[in-house]
Amino acid sequence: MAVPEDIKNIICARFPEGVECAVDSSGSPVFYVAPAAIVEVGAFLSEDAALKFDYLMSLTAVDWPDRFETVYHLYSIAYKHYVTLKVKVGKADPTLPSVYPVWKAADWQEREVYDMFGISFVGHPDLRRILLEPEWEGFPLRKDYVEK
């Protein structure tokens, strides 16, 4: 079983570019991942024998003044350890590759992030609204959203 420092070392060794460590007070490793690398990093974390992050606990987003940030909380059922991935997404074109091919649990979670924040997940098999009516205008969890 890998401890947080081992997890950090494994990930940083495998991805010297496109992944940077972030500070987290919970004791679990947190990494910023380049948007183009999220599927590759996710697949590695899921498939690596020492890590086995086989469970996508949650996928959400945050609306910062200058960007969006998608947040992936991962868990290893076999080893009982956690990691968090964060991806910065520009507001002008909020688009990311879908992690659905890695974790099927991303299906409805990516749809919810799309529905509430307007972040598109390229490669998602059925990206459409999940909580709001299809004709709903805007994305209610954006800070610039104006109720009509």
Side-chain angles (χ1 to χ4, degrees):
M1 182 169 98
V3 297
E5 193 62 30
D6 294 337
I7 296 168
K8 177 182 168 187
N9 292 338
I10 291 168
I11 294 171
C12 290
R14 174 64 176 81
F15 299 99
E17 294 182 21
V19 174
E20 63 182 69
C21 295
V23 178
D24 181 45
S25 61
S26 73
S28 296
V30 178
F31 298 92
Y32 278 99
V33 179
I38 188 61
V39 175
E40 180 184 5
V41 171
F44 173 76
L45 294 177
S46 174
E47 297 165 5
D48 183 83
L51 300 175
K52 287 191 172 184
F53 284 105
D54 50 356
Y55 181 48
L56 174 63
M57 294 174 31
S58 68
L59 189 168
T60 190
V62 179
D63 183 353
W64 294 104
D66 61 333
R67 69 184 185 283
F68 293 110
E69 200 170 88
T70 56
V71 182
Y72 305 76
H73 293 106
L74 308 177
Y75 181 67
S76 169
I77 295 170
Y79 298 135
K80 299 176 179 27
H81 53 225
Y82 301 87
V83 71
T84 300
L85 305 179
K86 296 182 177 186
V87 180
K88 297 175 184 176
V89 184
K91 288 198 170 190
D93 181 24
T95 303
L96 283 174
S98 173
V99 295
Y100 175 82
V102 179
W103 299 287
K104 299 303 181 217
D107 185 1
W108 285 16
Q109 294 181 59
E110 287 181 345
R111 286 180 59 192
E112 183 176 336
V113 170
Y114 166 72
D115 201 7
M116 297 288 107
F117 291 92
I119 298 171
S120 293
F121 293 90
V122 176
H124 188 281
D126 187 23
L127 192 63
R128 59 188 164 96
R129 292 200 182 268
I130 190 168
L131 300 172
L132 301 171
E133 298 86 15
E135 58 278 346
W136 190 277
E137 292 184 27
F139 305 100
L141 291 184
R142 285 189 178 186
K143 292 191 177 177
D144 61 356
Y145 179 74
V146 177
E147 189 175 352
K148 295 179 183 187

